[in-house]
Amino acid sequence: MEFKELIPLKKTNKRPKAGDIFALCPQKDLYCFGKVIQTNIESNDSFMRGMNLIYIYDFFSHTMDLPENLESQKLLIVEVVNHQLWRKGFAENIYYSEVSEEDLTKDIAFWNVVKKEYVTIKGNRTDHIPQIKGIFGLGSFGSIGRQLKKILSNRIID
């Protein structure tokens, strides 16, 4: 079955680095943007260890031009991914911006569906219910594409 949730942009074998800002294309002539927050994650979970934490912002545009206030936008998706987003061409780096203290201290945690509890990126249990929630586990271009399709099915983008 052919993957159709994201439109390929530009393939690269270069691994993402913290601070890379990238574009995704969930529909023809529609782009959204994300940032690599952390690479080579240290985690108790072997699937998460060595992977990348990314944020995808709640901002859509008909061009790949970087919006001036991207990093002040609400977070739409928080995900841990490998480098396949870039390797398959579904994410294209368009800019670089240092990872800020604000980026690193956002109130995020991940829901562990097996243990039915929130955990940190390292896999440690937390009693805190975060403001920004992700799913604990290794995401993929497929999971991101499906999340974006679901979000866009409920929106009208001018």
Side-chain angles (χ1 to χ4, degrees):
M1 188 163 86
E2 185 181 351
F3 176 75
K4 296 179 182 177
E5 275 75 22
L6 291 172
I7 296 170
L9 298 168
K10 183 179 179 183
K11 293 179 180 182
T12 182
N13 284 323
K14 287 178 72 176
R15 291 183 181 261
K17 60 184 184 292
D20 284 344
I21 293 181
F22 57 90
L24 303 168
C25 186
Q27 293 178 3
K28 185 173 175 18
D29 298 322
L30 186 67
Y31 303 92
C32 63
F33 305 89
K35 183 175 182 179
V36 180
I37 302 303
Q38 187 179 350
T39 60
N40 202 23
I41 292 171
E42 294 179 18
S43 178
N44 299 329
D45 185 285
S46 62
F47 287 110
M48 303 268 282
R49 195 175 308 123
M51 298 303 153
N52 311 294
L53 173 64
I54 63 170
Y55 294 167
I56 298 175
Y57 299 93
D58 192 358
F59 185 92
F60 293 89
S61 173
H62 293 289
T63 71
M64 268 182 40
D65 299 332
L66 181 69
E68 287 183 30
N69 60 347
L70 177 66
E71 294 169 89
S72 65
Q73 299 294 320
K74 175 182 159 196
L75 290 181
L76 194 60
I77 298 171
V78 176
E79 191 98 17
V80 174
V81 297
N82 58 24
H83 67 282
Q84 292 298 306
L85 260 177
W86 291 266
R87 192 169 195 199
K88 301 279 188 189
F90 295 117
E92 182 177 337
N93 291 343
I94 59 170
Y95 192 73
Y96 178 84
S97 174
E98 291 286 331
V99 175
S100 68
E101 188 65 28
E102 184 179 334
D103 288 330
L104 294 171
T105 57
K106 291 200 183 290
D107 184 19
I108 67 169
F110 300 86
W111 181 249
N112 185 319
V113 294
V114 174
K115 295 182 178 178
K116 306 233 183 294
E117 63 188 12
Y118 284 105
V119 296
T120 66
I121 191 108
K122 292 186 177 212
N124 300 324
R125 182 180 185 277
T126 180
D127 291 327
H128 174 70
I129 298 176
Q131 182 181 22
I132 304 159
K133 303 165 182 82
I135 299 294
F136 188 70
L138 184 58
S140 66
F141 56 83
S143 63
I144 290 170
R146 285 186 293 279
Q147 288 177 73
L148 288 171
K149 287 288 186 193
K150 184 175 180 181
I151 289 163
L152 289 170
S153 71
N154 296 317
R155 290 196 184 180
I156 297 172
I157 306 293
D158 296 327

